[in-house]
Amino acid sequence: MRGPNTKAFQQGFLKNMILSLQACSEFCISSSASGGAAMMSLQQRKYAIKSSADIAMATARGRGARWPQAVLASSSSPSRRLSKPSSSPGKKKNTRVCKKIVRRCLHTWRRSRGGTGGASSLARTRTAMICSREIARRLVRKRTKVLRKMIPGGELLDEISLLHEAVDYVAHLHAQVDVLRRISNAVQRG
Amino acid sequence: MRHASPPQELPAAGGEIQAALAPATASSARAGARGGGGGGSFTALLGLPTSQAIELLLPRTAPPPALALAPAPAPAAAPAPAFPSDPHLVDRAARFSTFAPPSPSSPSPAPPPPPPPAAAANAGKRKADTVDRASKGKAAKKGKTAEEKPAGGDGDDEKPAYVHVRARRGQATDSHSLAERARREKINARMELLKELVPGCSKVSGTALVLDEIINHVQSLQRQVEYLSMRLAAVNPRVDFGGLDSFLTTECGRIAGFNCKNGIDLEQVTWPEMGVHGARQLMQLQQQFWHGDLAHPHQVASQWEKRGDGHPPVFSNSNPSLFGYDLTSSGKSFTQSYIFLTEFSCLSLTSHISAWLGPRLLSLTLSCQHSLEKKMCTDRRTLPVGADGPNPINACPEPETISPPSFCLGLAA
């Protein structure tokens, strides 16, 4: 069962998803058995479907990657919204840091321009190149941080394994989207 | 390693050994001139092909040409048979060869051109040095060529690194830059893979832009998953998809063998649902599960025929494979996911439905869990570590058993 694009993986994923959905529904039924028919809202249902799809994908993946473990761990812990409040001060910090960086670059560039005054264009271009290299490096680092947040379990990985996990995760996300689309088409048809 | 004879006879045998070395290099030089000296100017200087040069330079293999020729020119010398196999002797021989007057008129079958004896001397010295340094434990990654300085290496470091990683011409050879280069190559290889996977990335150059595309792609995929799940939730008033079973059977198709096993697993695993029909059928299933007792295949078959599958005939075939964990046919990951799901369903029963199904069911689920854990442990022991890298998922059984109830609880939150 190598590769997420094999039919075997998709079948396994399907089965897992059906099982988890059944477990969800039974839990709903049993929890609301005393209180009558308490239907889940759209949001709840959507969340149930999405998390069961994630879990199904993670379990169908089996060994060989780290993100399934992170997905399962995150789905089992009830604290899901803790990351939300911390993001806004983080964003402000990021913008502050970005502004500082840009200002510093501008300072060094202006200083070099003023200092050389046209005597050595080579030095000027060299400092400009160095500035651009620094900027590129910072951009890459920023994007790596964003990627770390998006890939489950990516916070603890180093760059090389992060890229490896990203490859794996993207392939499996493709398969998950495919299966979900097929399910929704089938349910709509009949 | 014969140390008895060499120490005394070395001063006398120095000339013989140099003679042995010289024809060796000369003959291999003749061979090497035909063979093409690619692989660095050092080996070209040596006049040897790369493989033979590696053999000469690395301490573990004695130079075979010397081995072949040593008995011939020095038949009377006692250490001659011992000479080729002893690297230490080779060291000392090399050192002595540098001390002996580098005479091109040494007794050799073919007149060696002036560079090879000097090269042999240099090679001997370098060989000794590399042997000494390499024995200190530097990992030999690839070929050598860390010492191409005198051959005209432009831009090389002045200090040879002796680190045995292939350093290309014109590049720094200290360990830091080599490690950095290895790391950069790994990162670039992974970026290439990602570029292939993410559509629209192939024409973009530069790490930052490619990462940008990848991030956008992953975000869009996650948003698609959310949208599709919203659509599914909107279509059904309830979460469970009863019609999905038929969808499953049609989707599974008619893949022989694998399909049957999967179908059986599914049917056997969805006994939480079958439990709705009555505890009696559950007892039958319990019997089938834990005693391998096929006394009542017909009742079970009747349940399956409700779903319209052709499974009963293959039930007996797959039952031993189910419990023998025939991994080769169906793949390890699926059986493990199966294990997880049976535990999952077991525990969901334990926590939520056991109240109205009675204590028998509780014991059933507990025994199910225990035997499954046991089987999982034995499974993992017999499984070769097929996963790449470390296996953090080895610790999975415990969190997996703990997680499902909290998952169910988490849904209510």
Side-chain angles (χ1 to χ4, degrees), chain A residues 47 73-84, chain B residues 406 409-411 413:
Chain A
Y47 178 73
S74 63
S75 68
S76 65
S77 67
S79 60
R80 289 179 310 277
R81 302 295 174 196
L82 285 186
S83 56
K84 277 290 184 183
Chain B
S406 48
L409 290 172
L411 272 185

Side-chain angles (χ1 to χ4, degrees), chain A residues 16 21-22 27 45-46 59 63 65-66 69 76 143 150 160 167 169 174 177 182 184-186 188, chain B residues 190 197 208 217-218 222 224 226 231 233 236 241 251 273 336-337 340-341 380 390 392-394 403 408:
Chain A
N16 297 351
L21 283 174
Q22 280 171 350
F27 167 71
R45 267 182 282 148
K46 182 204 94 170
T59 49
R63 292 168 170 248
R66 291 195 192 234
Q69 198 187 15
S76 65
R143 306 237 162 98
M150 291 191 4
I160 300 174
V167 169
Y169 187 60
H174 278 178
V177 163
R182 265 196 264 164
S184 77
N185 289 341
Q188 270 190 335
Chain B
R190 305 269 157 88
L197 209 51
H217 190 62
V218 171
Q222 287 175 342
Q224 271 184 12
E226 292 224 11
R231 216 168 106 183
N236 289 57
F241 299 87
E251 188 69 18
E273 191 182 284
Q336 286 188 350
S337 62
F340 167 75
L341 285 159
R380 197 155 286 106
I393 310 187
N394 257 329
S403 63
C408 298

Side-chain angles (χ1 to χ4, degrees), chain A residues 40-53:
Chain A
M40 300 189 354
S41 73
L42 183 69
Q43 291 294 325
Q44 279 179 316
R45 267 182 282 148
K46 182 204 94 170
Y47 178 73
I49 290 173
K50 176 166 179 294
S51 49
S52 61

Side-chain angles (χ1 to χ4, degrees), chain A:
Chain A
M1 213 146 92
R2 264 321 295 178
N5 303 318
T6 59
K7 197 160 186 204
F9 173 81
Q10 294 187 352
Q11 286 171 9
F13 173 75
L14 254 181
K15 287 184 186 80
N16 297 351
M17 191 156 159
I18 291 170
L19 280 167
S20 54
L21 283 174
Q22 280 171 350
C24 289
S25 67
E26 280 177 351
F27 167 71
C28 278
I29 289 169
S30 62
S31 66
S32 62
S34 56
M39 302 312 290
M40 300 189 354
S41 73
L42 183 69
Q43 291 294 325
Q44 279 179 316
R45 267 182 282 148
K46 182 204 94 170
Y47 178 73
I49 290 173
K50 176 166 179 294
S51 49
S52 61
D54 286 336
I55 290 177
M57 179 169 69
T59 49
R61 175 69 179 82
R63 292 168 170 248
R66 291 195 192 234
W67 58 263
Q69 198 187 15
V71 164
L72 294 171
S74 63
S75 68
S76 65
S77 67
S79 60
R80 289 179 310 277
R81 302 295 174 196
L82 285 186
S83 56
K84 277 290 184 183
S86 63
S87 64
S88 37
K91 237 183 285 180
K92 289 197 210 108
K93 205 176 12 146
N94 279 344
T95 50
R96 255 186 279 138
V97 167
C98 289
K99 281 197 197 128
K100 247 193 275 182
I101 289 169
V102 171
R103 217 176 292 139
R104 204 191 315 149
C105 283
L106 227 55
H107 275 312
T108 53
W109 185 67
R110 280 214 199 97
R111 214 185 312 135
S112 69
R113 197 168 66 160
T116 58
S120 55
S121 58
L122 183 65
R124 210 188 315 153
T125 50
R126 206 183 318 131
T127 48
M129 252 167 43
I130 291 172
C131 267
S132 63
R133 215 180 298 151
E134 292 289 324
I135 292 173
R137 217 174 296 157
R138 283 193 194 105
L139 280 177
V140 167
R141 236 176 277 151
K142 239 194 298 179
R143 306 237 162 98
T144 320
K145 222 189 304 180
V146 174
L147 194 63
R148 255 182 241 265
K149 277 191 221 141
M150 291 191 4
I151 292 182
E155 309 273 341
L156 341 146
L157 295 173
D158 58 313
E159 276 197 35
I160 300 174
S161 353
L162 181 69
L163 290 177
H164 192 71
E165 293 289 314
V167 169
D168 202 49
Y169 187 60
V170 164
H172 285 83
L173 269 184
H174 278 178
Q176 188 185 24
V177 163
D178 196 24
V179 169
L180 276 177
R181 199 173 287 148
R182 265 196 264 164
I183 288 179
S184 77
N185 289 341
V187 168
Q188 270 190 335
R189 258 186 278 126

